[in-house]
Amino acid sequence: MEHARGLDGLAGEPRPGVPRKFTDAEVERVIVTTLGEKAKNATHWSTRSMAAALSREQTRRGSPPQAFT
């Protein structure tokens, strides 16, 4: 029973659903770039401009926070 172990019961257990698409390092890189740099010739970052800036494949783009849901 997970609830019997409290918060310790949550650590290390595999999560249900599709595996994450983004590593922690990739999420950090997107956040640092978003907050620290201005998009070239634009007022804000789009998924395409961010993918191009970070050399990501557009087929893997998406919202990094979804990686944690």
Side-chain angles (χ1 to χ4, degrees):
M1 295 179 126
E2 292 83 18
H3 69 280
R5 297 188 306 184
L7 292 178
D8 291 334
L10 298 175
E13 297 293 327
R15 294 183 66 177
V18 178
R20 289 179 51 185
K21 294 180 182 178
F22 297 93
T23 64
D24 289 342
E26 289 174 316
V27 172
E28 179 181 2
R29 195 168 158 212
V30 170
I31 292 169
V32 168
T33 302
T34 301
L35 298 176
E37 298 179 23
K38 188 174 186 277
K40 215 181 265 188
N41 300 320
T43 59
H44 63 281
W45 288 101
S46 68
T47 55
R48 290 179 186 206
S49 63
M50 180 62 69
L54 299 179
S55 300
R56 297 270 306 171
E57 297 176 28
Q58 292 214 350
T59 56
R60 287 189 62 196
R61 72 174 189 224
S63 175
Q66 290 178 347
F68 300 106
T69 59

